[in-house]
Amino acid sequence: MKFIQLVAAGILITSASLASANPTSEFVVDDMRVEGLQRVALGAALTYIPVKIGDSMNSFRIAQLIRSLYASSHFENIQVLRDGNTLIIKVHERPTISNIIFSENDDIKDEQLNQSLEDNNIRVGEPLDKTVLTSIENGLKDFYYSIGKYNAEVDAIVTPLPRNRVDLKLAFEEGDAAEIKQINFVGNDVFPDKELLEQMELQFGAPWWDFMAETRYQKQKLSGDMETIRSYYMDRGYLRYNMDSTQVAMTPDKTGIYITFNITEGEKYHISEIELAGDLLGNEEAIKVLMPLREGQLYNLAMVTYTEEFISKYLGRFGYAFPTVTTIPEINDEDKTVKLRLSVEPGQRIYVRRINFKGNKVTADEVFRREVVQMEGSWLSNTALEASKNSMSRLTYVEEADFETIRIPGQDDKVDVDFTVKEQASGSFNAGIGYGDRTKLSLQAGIQQNNFLGTGNQLALNLNTISYQSSINLSYTDPYFTIDGISLGGSVFYTEFDAGSANLVQYNSKTYGVGLNFGYPVNQFNRLNFGITYKHQEVSQLQRYEQIRNFYDVFADPENPDSSLTFNTFQLSAGWYRSTLNRGIFPTAGSSQRATISATTPNSDLTYYKVNFDTKFYFPLSQNQRWSFLSRLQLSYGNGYGKIDGHDQFLPFFEYFSTGGSDSLRGFENNTVGPKGILRYPSTIKDPNGNSIVLGPENDSINMSQRSFGGNALALAGLELIVPTPFVEADFDNSVRTSLFIDAGNLWDTEFNIDEYAQLRPSERNKVPDFGDYSRFRASSGLSVQWLSPMGPMIFSFAKVIKQQDGDDTKFFSFNVGQTF
């Protein structure tokens, strides 16, 4: 570029000499004019002119002036003239880019093209330097050649507009990519061509239905495949493997590619000795025990690389963040062994000067800072950094978190740590829409904010006014009430519930109460929670199902059996929660366990307890964790304790567990799994006088509810294969999840013997199902798509029942918003 400018300056100086009275002869400037300015102000132009009135001018000063004006990037043509002792500078400004247009570009996105132009200082509103267009055209052609499109053409078209403006259009003719016709290997005896081809990303001759096969030639993928083949041999002991040459031949019409690899396989080598050298900071014995390499093993390049990384990470735990670990092989070709000498240079111990946070537009820095295990001023620990990253990633309002260490110029022993977080919707509109064969349309609604005003505090307000329930629940939790991570929260609630309208057994209830809870962190992964709740509940219009006869007889007023039942309870709870999940929402690795126990105090009107345990394990199946396997299990049990007036206490029926629906047994409608409510009717006959005579209880008839009455014991299990969502890029894996699932489970009432009713006849209004089937597990399988929308998490479930009882639904579709993952 500089050479071109000098040549242009020389030509212009020569032409100026012919057009004037020898301007290159030395003279003193008495006056100076700049002509041709349009967009550039005169004052701005003068700043680029290294000449002022009174200066002496000669050919050197003129060349210097021209170079300075060209360097300003505002002008594309410059003439220097002399009129007496007046210096005249005529300029033609570079045109301003009014618009940039891309045409017929399919393989390169507009964003990539814009970035390429930005890197060359070509953007709308800026002057156009036409000299760089050719290099841009050639650079784009090189890109197309690298992906096998050898007939591609790129033309930069400049269209002049009024007021010295231009439109810049990049027109593409991409053409078709060259197909790989054949891939050959020469010199391979150990592994056949087919086995080596299976390791490669580039393929040839793939069947039409294998749309995932990459048969287009791409230079970058070829380089990657060469490295893959090298690793395949080196990981299996072939230390002397070598890719001797690679030939890529093209057909004359540039549509076909033939690739030939010439390789030398060599022999297998075993490790004869492993020597650690250098400064291991007194950890030599520990490293020897923990590192995976062992003498006598077959040489494995991947294992050698992993060992180097292991030693680096091990030293990084103690602040030596940038160690150098080099493996030096000493090969013995006679006995086909290799001695590995691992040279370790730990470098300086590194300290953290400052920890910064980026990407958080809503959440305050202090919310993330309290999750950071790494401390400012202490030595850098990669273990602490990873733990900090994982802790932040488990927050439900964080999509992903990462960190990088920034070395400080002039301070070799200090770094800054920058955590970059990507936030996601922390609030949710908690709604649900479901449809079943019996329930038809069902609705629910609520609002929850897990990151209230960016403080990390949780605020939930649930309002419900559907046909069978009116409720309000307000809760607030501060997860860091103290600097040590002790949480404190509270809630108030009020509910009116018509169980009959909700397709449950028939009863009405009114409940209000207040609760207080606090949590204590045991360590990074474990937490204990404790709570106390006062609850007032009134139950009325209760149908006397057989399952609650013993419960009802204890609390009902014999003189007014239809009166409401009123209970005041104080409930204590304790829980343990452990999580090593890699994310708070849509995790792909790690596990979580939760165990809780709650019990009413002895002075309560009802004395009972409930225990619950659930666990989830995620097993990544691929390195990028787009494929993962989930197993889950939930076990719950409840019962009463103590006696009232000589009667044993039972778990109240309104505290029973229930299942079925999108968050437990997908494929079954809500409250369809488990024991049904049983109503018992006496049978009568007429005597000769027409009077009714009640027969004995063995002649009673029974009627079964369509819905489950619930139970005091619950077992649920599930297996899920998490797969990449079709047509969704990997960047959105944290927002969309698709899985294939199998759910199984059942619900029991361990205090009720249903076999006692097996001999009773059903009423004319009801068909009694097989009693024995209630002890069998139900199962379903299907497809689930989960999406984290701005309104909150959404679930679409399509399931088919594969094991059921008489009366269970055989198909179910659900759509829910605001579910907990």
Side-chain angles (χ1 to χ4, degrees), residues 633-695:
L633 173 68
Q634 178 184 347
L635 302 173
S636 301
Y637 180 79
N639 215 327
Y641 72 91
K643 294 179 180 291
I644 292 183
D645 298 330
H647 298 279
D648 290 334
Q649 284 274 46
F650 299 95
L651 181 69
F653 65 91
F654 43 79
E655 292 289 342
Y656 276 1
F657 304 109
S658 63
T659 190
S662 62
D663 57 350
S664 54
L665 274 176
R666 289 164 285 193
F668 296 88
E669 294 186 41
N670 290 331
N671 304 307
T672 59
V673 176
K676 305 295 193 289
I678 298 178
L679 291 171
R680 187 168 183 168
Y681 303 96
S683 297
T684 61
I685 59 173
K686 299 288 185 179
D687 64 9
N689 298 322
N691 298 319
S692 295
I693 300 176
V694 178
L695 300 178

Side-chain angles (χ1 to χ4, degrees), residues 71-257:
S72 70
S73 75
H74 291 296
F75 310 106
E76 64 178 7
N77 189 15
I78 302 167
Q79 286 184 303
V80 179
L81 305 173
R82 172 184 175 186
D83 184 6
N85 288 338
T86 299
L87 183 66
I88 302 172
I89 304 171
K90 290 186 176 183
V91 297
H92 187 270
E93 295 180 357
R94 288 177 177 171
T96 302
I97 301 174
S98 177
N99 195 18
I100 299 176
I101 305 167
F102 306 119
S103 174
E104 302 299 326
N105 54 303
D106 296 325
D107 280 324
I108 307 181
K109 296 181 180 179
D110 288 359
E111 294 79 6
Q112 293 173 294
L113 290 170
N114 280 318
Q115 184 60 52
S116 177
L117 295 178
E118 287 272 352
D119 294 340
N120 287 278
N121 295 318
I122 295 180
R123 60 181 67 88
V124 174
E126 294 294 325
L128 173 63
D129 184 358
K130 295 179 182 178
T131 60
V132 303
L133 293 181
T134 300
S135 63
I136 291 175
E137 290 175 344
N138 293 333
L140 292 173
K141 287 181 182 179
D142 288 342
F143 167 78
Y144 281 112
Y145 295 164
S146 70
I147 61 172
K149 292 194 171 185
Y150 293 98
N151 293 313
E153 292 291 338
V154 182
D155 292 317
I157 303 171
V158 179
T159 304
L161 297 174
R163 301 191 304 278
N164 198 29
R165 297 176 301 123
V166 294
D167 278 348
L168 175 60
K169 179 179 180 180
L170 289 178
F172 296 83
E173 292 183 14
E174 296 183 333
D176 295 326
E179 294 285 327
I180 300 175
K181 299 299 183 181
Q182 194 169 356
I183 300 176
N184 301 307
F185 293 90
V186 178
N188 57 310
D189 296 321
V190 178
F191 300 115
D193 290 7
K194 181 180 179 181
E195 185 172 348
L196 296 178
L197 283 171
E198 289 175 351
Q199 314 308 317
M200 297 178 59
E201 190 171 357
L202 294 180
Q203 298 291 325
F204 74 96
W208 64 268
W209 46 263
D210 189 3
F211 56 88
M212 297 297 292
E214 183 58 80
T215 59
R216 298 192 316 173
Y217 173 74
Q218 298 189 45
K219 184 177 180 180
Q220 294 88 343
K221 290 187 177 180
L222 177 62
S223 299
D225 284 340
M226 292 169 61
E227 183 60 33
T228 299
I229 294 173
R230 174 180 177 271
S231 298
Y232 192 76
Y233 274 95
M234 299 287 278
D235 293 347
R236 287 155 180 79
Y238 293 92
L239 182 57
R240 289 296 194 185
Y241 165 84
N242 185 59
M243 178 75 72
D244 299 326
S245 64
T246 304
Q247 290 88 39
V248 179
M250 186 185 308
T251 58
D253 59 0
K254 299 182 180 180
T255 60
I257 295 291

